[in-house]
Amino acid sequence: MTASGIERGGGFAVDPALLELASISSTAILAAAATDAWQTMRSGVAGLLRRHDEGRDENGEPPLLAELDQDAAALEAVAEDGRQAARDELANAWQTRLEGWLAEHPQAAADLEALTTRRAGQATKNVMQVNGHGPAPTYGVMFGTMNIDNRRHDGTDRSDRNEAS
């Protein structure tokens, strides 16, 4: 531990508040990967990196952006049932990357916090309300797939019911 923060394995000292920010941000960024929110999150991260990181790769982009794109593409290729585990693993790696990046660019902390707070807030705005009336079942799904089996327990179709009018 140093006077200004915590000594990390890479030899850099990071303020504990920045460590927490890196953790929260990595989770928020990777939560958007392989979803409809990805392009919006990627655009925000790209802008942040361009504003605060003078380093550029051969395409003129900050190196972290290329790494993020590779990881997002890898996550997209993972089967949906294994995606959360892959997302968690990548979030841990990105936490370490963001800790190092914030150690080099502490002035970017407020912008990173604003980005992840704003994007996380948008993600929670997805609301679905399903109202059902009468004896018929009501179904709803916001993301993913819903399979409905209308057979009775005895295997017959529910549509063969005789109901009094």
Side-chain angles (χ1 to χ4, degrees), residues 46 49-50 53-63 65-66:
L49 293 173
R50 287 179 190 127
D53 194 341
E54 59 285 345
R56 298 286 187 265
D57 65 12
E58 63 277 354
N59 297 322
E61 294 289 354
L65 187 58

Side-chain angles (χ1 to χ4, degrees), residues 22 51 55 84 114 145:
R51 279 191 306 280
Q84 188 57 50
T145 303

Side-chain angles (χ1 to χ4, degrees), residues 7-148:
E7 184 78 27
R8 300 302 286 183
F12 52 88
V14 182
D15 183 286
L18 294 183
L19 294 176
E20 184 176 353
L21 175 60
S23 175
I24 292 167
S25 297
S26 63
T27 300
I29 291 167
L30 271 294
T35 70
D36 292 341
W38 174 242
Q39 286 306 315
T40 302
M41 177 61 85
R42 186 208 180 273
S43 176
V45 171
L48 172 80
L49 293 173
R50 287 179 190 127
R51 279 191 306 280
H52 294 284
D53 194 341
E54 59 285 345
R56 298 286 187 265
D57 65 12
E58 63 277 354
N59 297 322
E61 294 289 354
L64 270 183
L65 187 58
E67 291 179 39
L68 184 60
D69 286 340
Q70 289 171 350
D71 286 348
L75 190 57
E76 184 76 35
V78 173
E80 200 162 324
D81 62 348
R83 212 170 267 166
Q84 188 57 50
R87 201 176 257 124
D88 292 343
E89 185 178 322
L90 285 172
N92 287 334
W94 272 95
Q95 178 179 346
T96 302
R97 288 176 183 149
L98 287 176
E99 287 171 359
W101 189 80
L102 284 168
E104 294 176 19
H105 305 91
Q107 74 282 3
D111 287 346
L112 180 59
E113 183 174 24
L115 170 70
T116 53
T117 301
R118 185 173 58 247
R119 299 294 183 235
Q122 287 175 344
T124 60
K125 290 182 183 176
N126 294 324
V127 176
M128 182 173 88
Q129 182 174 345
V130 178
N131 298 315
H133 302 284
T138 303
Y139 306 101
V141 64
M142 182 174 272
F143 301 107
T145 303
M146 178 187 297
N147 296 314
I148 300 169

